[in-house]
Amino acid sequence: MLTRRHIRVKVMQCIYALIQSKDDSLQKQEKFLKVSIENTYTLYLLWLSLFVEIQKRASEQYRLSAKKYLNDTKQNYPNEEKFIKNGLLLQLGQNQLLKDELSKRKLDNWYLNEEYVKLIYKAIVESDLYDEYMSKPESSYKEDKELIIELFKNIIAPNDKIYEYFEDDKLTWIDDIPIVNTFILKLFKKAKGNESYGYFLPKLLKDDEDMTFANKLLSKTLLKNDVFEKEIEGKTPNWDKDRIAEVDSILLKMAICELLEFPSIPEKVTINEYLEIAKEYSTPKSSIFINGILDKLTKEYKKDGKLNKLGRGLL
């Protein structure tokens, strides 16, 4: 789920948090990093559980309307149970591995905050997407999942109340939301009607090396902070270090750390990754500034024999 770029962002956030809190405990930051990475998966699971609760809400509303013989023009569809029996929603709702994971992590957020489920469900049944879908008596699995994808893109994910809920719950989720949402859309698009339970519970990290990379990048950057700071100052003689944006400074130190401490990662990969992160998280001109400094340092390191790169490296 998480790429190396996402991991780099997590490390950047940890270092930034350390600077803001003035807490120089490496152990605390390593713990914060681990929790921050794991919380990304929690966010993913909460999104899936929201779909499960939406399906439950639809089932309950259908049961009540049938029992009370409610007259509602929005209910006059050729197949009133079509949304309830949506193939993708049923896959999620009947997924025992997902149920077990939610139970193990005690993720009953939507049960405790059912007003959000009601809010989203109301927006869904009032939408043109829902009306068009329900107007046809039958649908294929492909059409079922296309509806859920469109509802997620246009109604569920953009909902301000849901966004505020996630923001209030965990601050780091603000940066995780686009990552997780994009992953969910890709997962749903590739889903098939006969997927195993495990399909919807992918690994958070590709392998143990990713966590090793994260911890090493964090610890080496922090432990050699003064050394890397001097490297930057040497390439910015006309800049007071206080004038360099804090995020730029962090990204530069992380990039220098990768150049010198990670022989399996090609310098081009390192530079490109940090330029892309700078474009998203720092000032408009940051990527140009960072590129100039890293270009100078790379040439210097090659000349001095400090760049000992091996193999093709990993993103």
Side-chain angles (χ1 to χ4, degrees):
M1 180 186 293
L2 290 183
T3 67
R4 284 291 176 96
R5 182 177 299 172
H6 300 148
I7 292 171
R8 289 177 175 98
V9 170
K10 291 288 185 184
V11 173
M12 177 196 73
Q13 291 170 340
C14 282
I15 297 174
Y16 184 83
L18 180 146
I19 293 171
Q20 297 302 309
S21 66
K22 296 180 172 57
D23 185 343
D24 60 357
S25 170
L26 177 58
Q27 188 176 14
K28 283 185 180 180
Q29 292 311 311
E30 287 176 336
K31 183 178 179 181
F32 179 81
L33 175 62
K34 185 175 184 292
V35 171
S36 178
I37 289 174
E38 289 176 348
N39 280 340
T40 305
Y41 203 70
T42 300
L43 176 62
Y44 166 75
L45 291 173
L46 283 178
W47 271 131
L48 293 194
S49 69
L50 180 58
F51 286 106
V52 173
E53 293 303 320
I54 288 170
Q55 196 274 343
K56 287 181 181 178
R57 175 72 181 174
S59 297
E60 180 66 12
Q61 288 300 106
Y62 172 76
R63 186 183 67 80
L64 290 174
S65 64
K67 184 176 181 180
K68 296 180 179 179
Y69 303 100
L70 297 178
N71 291 318
D72 188 339
T73 56
K74 292 292 284 184
Q75 298 288 332
N76 293 329
Y77 293 116
N79 181 359
E80 299 285 0
E81 297 181 272
K82 186 181 177 185
F83 183 73
I84 300 169
K85 295 181 178 179
N86 178 281
L88 182 53
L89 288 183
L90 285 178
Q91 272 183 309
L92 295 172
Q94 297 172 359
N95 191 314
Q96 191 58 49
L97 287 180
L98 177 58
K99 291 178 183 178
D100 293 343
E101 194 66 25
L102 293 172
S103 176
K104 182 176 73 175
R105 294 170 181 254
K106 298 180 180 179
L107 295 178
D108 52 0
N109 300 52
W110 308 123
Y111 177 77
L112 298 174
N113 299 278
E114 64 176 3
E115 67 271 18
Y116 291 101
V117 180
K118 293 177 180 178
L119 181 76
I120 292 297
Y121 178 69
K122 184 174 185 293
I124 288 173
V125 298
E126 291 177 350
S127 70
D128 292 337
L129 288 168
Y130 180 86
D131 187 56
E132 183 180 350
Y133 173 78
M134 293 295 290
S135 296
K136 300 176 184 177
E138 303 295 335
S139 60
S140 63
Y141 177 80
K142 181 181 177 181
E143 291 171 321
D144 283 354
K145 73 174 185 178
E146 283 176 354
L147 170 73
I148 302 306
I149 288 169
E150 290 304 312
L151 288 175
F152 186 63
K153 286 166 56 177
N154 297 290
I155 294 175
I156 303 173
N159 187 276
D160 290 338
K161 295 295 182 183
I162 295 292
Y163 184 88
E164 289 170 8
Y165 173 77
F166 285 141
E167 183 180 21
D168 290 341
D169 197 322
K170 289 180 177 61
L171 190 59
T172 56
W173 277 349
I174 297 174
D175 292 314
D176 291 340
I177 287 173
I179 296 169
V180 174
N181 289 2
T182 300
F183 179 81
I184 287 174
L185 288 174
K186 288 180 179 178
L187 193 79
F188 283 1
K189 285 176 182 178
K190 293 180 180 179
K192 298 177 182 177
N194 58 351
E195 295 290 2
S196 66
Y197 286 165
Y199 176 78
F200 293 99
L201 291 171
K203 288 184 178 181
L204 173 60
L205 300 175
K206 186 173 67 174
D207 50 42
D208 292 340
E209 287 183 12
D210 279 348
M211 198 65 222
T212 300
F213 166 77
N215 284 322
K216 182 179 177 182
L217 181 60
L218 175 66
S219 60
K220 290 284 186 180
T221 303
L222 291 176
L223 292 172
K224 295 193 174 185
N225 176 73
D226 294 341
V227 175
F228 297 153
E229 195 160 284
K230 288 179 181 178
E231 294 281 320
I232 297 170
E233 289 175 2
K235 295 295 171 287
T236 55
N238 299 322
W239 282 73
D240 186 308
K241 67 178 182 179
D242 293 332
R243 290 177 58 201
I244 300 176
E246 205 156 51
V247 171
D248 290 357
S249 177
I250 294 170
L251 292 177
L252 279 168
K253 291 170 186 175
M254 289 172 63
I256 295 170
C257 181
E258 273 194 37
L259 290 172
L260 299 177
E261 303 289 339
F262 293 79
S264 66
I265 303 178
E267 62 268 19
K268 286 185 179 180
V269 170
T270 293
I271 293 172
N272 287 338
E273 287 292 282
Y274 286 101
L275 292 183
E276 290 303 313
I277 294 172
K279 289 175 185 177
E280 187 171 353
Y281 290 92
S282 197
T283 67
K285 295 182 179 180
S286 290
S287 60
I288 299 172
F289 173 70
I290 290 174
N291 186 49
I293 295 177
L294 292 181
D295 183 59
K296 291 179 184 177
L297 285 170
T298 302
K299 289 176 181 177
E300 183 181 293
Y301 293 155
K302 283 183 178 179
K303 183 180 178 182
D304 296 342
K306 291 182 178 179
L307 282 184
N308 299 309
K309 298 296 183 179
L310 305 170
R312 296 175 60 190
L314 297 168
L315 281 172

